[in-house]
Amino acid sequence: MSAFNKMLVAIDLTEEAPQVLNKAKAMSEAHNAELLLVHVVEPVGYAYGGDIPMDLTELQDQLDKAAHEQLESYGNQYGVPKDQQMVTVGRPESEIHRIAKEQGVDLIVVGSHGRKGFQLLLGSTANGVLHGTECDVLAVRIN
């Protein structure tokens, strides 16, 4: 029996995503594990702190639509079925924890820039995912 049966790979849809996806795909194949592909869209209001007195619904919908399209493209490229691709809105760490728990995930794979010093104090998604999850986390170093 493999140590990992279900893996969640959380990507940010940047040009660095393939580095994380390549590692996650290799791990899932090595363990014959199911792979879930997840992207979390942060609410537009977070970026502005709610200080803009306007309806940002249309912008949020556009971001959500673009995320679905990009994730589907990665899913097709890496052989992840549509029903195992998820786009959600919220705080990345919280949403990744929630989905991992709901889906019974054994391993979360995230990218990490390997920040040091003061930047580390500010935190990162990878650090947030690591501290608070109930399963193993693999942080893939982004070059």
Side-chain angles (χ1 to χ4, degrees):
M1 185 169 143
S2 174
F4 304 117
N5 297 309
K6 197 175 223 183
M7 300 178 184
L8 181 158
V9 57
I11 58 171
D12 60 6
L13 303 179
T14 65
E15 66 279 353
E16 298 162 339
Q19 291 180 59
V20 179
L21 284 163
N22 288 332
K23 183 69 76 167
K25 182 69 173 172
M27 290 282 297
S28 71
E29 289 173 353
H31 290 270
N32 197 27
E34 183 179 347
L35 191 61
L36 301 175
L37 190 54
V38 175
H39 174 69
V40 181
V41 178
E42 290 194 64
V44 177
Y46 283 7
Y48 299 105
D51 293 339
I52 298 179
M54 61 175 31
D55 184 7
L56 299 172
T57 306
E58 188 175 330
L59 177 58
Q60 188 72 55
D61 289 345
Q62 289 173 354
L63 290 172
D64 191 57
K65 182 177 185 275
H68 275 94
E69 290 170 358
Q70 276 190 282
L71 198 70
E72 184 174 1
S73 175
Y74 279 127
N76 291 338
Q77 185 178 347
Y78 287 87
V80 179
K82 184 94 169 109
D83 66 342
Q84 292 173 239
Q85 301 171 26
M86 299 177 204
V87 174
T88 185
V89 177
R91 289 187 41 127
E93 301 88 353
S94 301
E95 288 300 300
I96 292 167
H97 290 157
R98 178 186 64 78
I99 293 168
K101 190 170 187 170
E102 285 176 2
Q103 297 291 323
V105 167
D106 305 302
L107 177 69
I108 298 172
V109 182
V110 293
S112 174
H113 289 91
R115 293 183 173 92
K116 297 181 178 100
F118 185 67
Q119 287 181 319
L120 184 61
L121 294 175
L122 298 175
S124 68
T125 299
N127 193 40
V129 169
L130 179 62
H131 301 298
T133 190
E134 297 177 9
C135 66
D136 292 336
V137 177
L138 172 64
V140 177
R141 179 154 321 264
I142 303 294
N143 299 325

